[in-house]
Amino acid sequence: MTDTYAVIGNPIAHSKSPEIHAAFARATSHDIVYKRIFCELGQFAETVRAFQAEGGKGLNVTVPFKHEAFEFATRTSERAREAGAVNVLKFGGAARGAEVLGDNTDGVGLTRDITVNLGRELRGKSILLLGAGGASFGVVGPLLDEVPRTMVIANRTLSKAEALAQRFAARYGPCALSACGYDALSGSAFDVVINATSAGLSGGMPALPEAIFAPGALAYDMVYDKATPFMQYAQARGATVADGLGMLVEQAAESFLIWRGVRPATAPVMAALRGAR
Ligand code: ATR
């Protein structure tokens, strides 16, 4: 029987994950079906249980259910526990009560895209992470694993940036990681600036000081389906700009590895997606 997987979220219609996993399946000769599941708010556990009972083997989880997926899992990876969020579920069987593994591949998707696809070292570099919402939680640990020289989490609501930094303070020490509001960034420049805010979705961007990009800086936006004001701002100031398509494809490849034991090549899929735009 063909194994079935899906991506679950709200909204979900524009997810590229079915396309990406279909390409991975073709390239690795794995016989799988990969669907989209729209889930009503407040119905996550019921919807997942129904998919599991039908024999579904695993799910990718997207906005706004990553915290609920973390609660749903019966066993979680260390990186999922650090993030408090899960974007991959793997079912041990169809029965209710069967093990459900929860993992988080978002952060490793981002660091692989930056270090492998974009060829940028993060070791010894200064990183500025913009935002302290859901998109930031999964990426802080994997970014710190790359051993940057400094990392600053900046957010409009300072208390959220502080809470996120505090979550990692024990492991990394307070010197390497700090939190601030956007106005406190004035006078600082960074090698890598990552936009994990949702400001671009409504046509905005965080209020950044003019000189935020160090010479040769990388400006990375986790959004992948449009050019955001942050990307335009960065480009106008001479930074190299990247969108989040590579992160999406890399987190998908890590998910495929968890489910199927094989990590598909990502470059052909990324090229096809960019070509299709
Ligand atoms: P989610 O968890 O779905 O990512 P969220 O928790 O609301 O959503 O986080 C969205 C992030 O984008 C937050 O960091 C938010 O800043 P606040 O914590 O101060 O709300 C940030 N954000 C959204 N719109 C923004 C804007 N116009 N300017 C700056 N930051 C913005």
Side-chain angles (χ1 to χ4, degrees):
M1 211 177 92
T2 306
D3 290 342
T4 304
Y5 301 87
V7 58
I8 183 168
N10 180 342
I12 202 64
H14 296 105
S15 171
K16 289 189 192 299
S17 292
E19 213 176 319
I20 294 169
H21 283 280
F24 287 165
R26 278 194 303 276
T28 57
S29 303
H30 279 229
D31 181 22
I32 68 162
V33 169
Y34 190 106
K35 308 183 200 175
R36 282 185 186 89
I37 299 177
F38 173 82
C39 182
E40 297 289 353
L41 302 182
Q43 297 288 312
F44 181 77
E46 293 84 335
T47 310
V48 173
R49 273 196 210 103
F51 178 73
Q52 191 182 5
E54 285 162 17
K57 298 283 182 193
L59 285 168
N60 280 133
V61 182
T62 187
V63 177
F65 298 118
K66 292 182 186 184
H67 291 292
E68 282 177 76
F70 178 76
E71 298 300 330
F72 188 89
T74 60
R75 189 160 65 89
T76 48
S77 65
E78 193 185 338
R79 60 192 180 183
R81 287 192 296 279
E82 261 194 356
V86 151
N87 74 319
V88 192
L89 292 172
K90 180 182 178 182
F91 303 119
R96 201 173 171 143
E99 181 181 271
V100 180
L101 172 69
D103 204 342
N104 191 315
T105 62
D106 286 330
V108 70
L110 173 67
T111 56
R112 263 193 84 101
D113 192 35
I114 294 175
T115 60
V116 180
N117 302 335
L118 298 169
R120 295 276 185 144
E121 274 252 41
L122 290 171
R123 175 177 286 271
K125 295 290 162 48
S126 54
I127 300 178
L128 171 61
L129 179 65
L130 304 171
S136 293
F137 269 75
V139 304
V140 173
L143 283 170
L144 288 169
D145 286 341
E146 296 293 320
V147 201
R149 176 165 45 81
T150 55
M151 182 158 145
V152 176
I153 303 173
N155 197 43
R156 190 173 56 179
T157 312
L158 175 60
S159 58
K160 281 170 72 180
E162 285 173 339
L164 183 54
Q166 194 53 42
R167 208 177 159 91
F168 291 87
R171 181 145 80 93
Y172 295 99
C175 303
L177 181 62
S178 60
C180 67
Y182 294 125
D183 46 1
L185 290 171
S186 143
S188 307
F190 295 86
D191 301 313
V192 178
V193 182
I194 300 166
N195 184 22
T197 73
S198 55
L201 302 178
S202 48
M205 65 170 275
L208 299 177
E210 273 298 315
I212 199 72
F213 302 104
L218 173 68
Y220 193 103
D221 201 314
M222 288 193 199
V223 168
Y224 60 80
D225 46 9
K226 60 176 177 181
T228 63
F230 169 76
M231 291 184 212
Q232 289 155 358
Y233 184 88
Q235 194 147 31
R237 282 152 189 85
T240 300
V241 175
D243 69 8
L245 187 75
M247 174 180 175
L248 178 78
V249 175
E250 292 297 339
Q251 68 74 30
E254 292 291 325
S255 302
F256 198 93
L257 173 64
I258 290 164
W259 294 326
R260 311 293 304 176
V262 181
R263 193 181 199 287
T266 50
V269 179
M270 259 180 298
L273 287 172
R274 290 205 190 280
R277 277 180 175 187

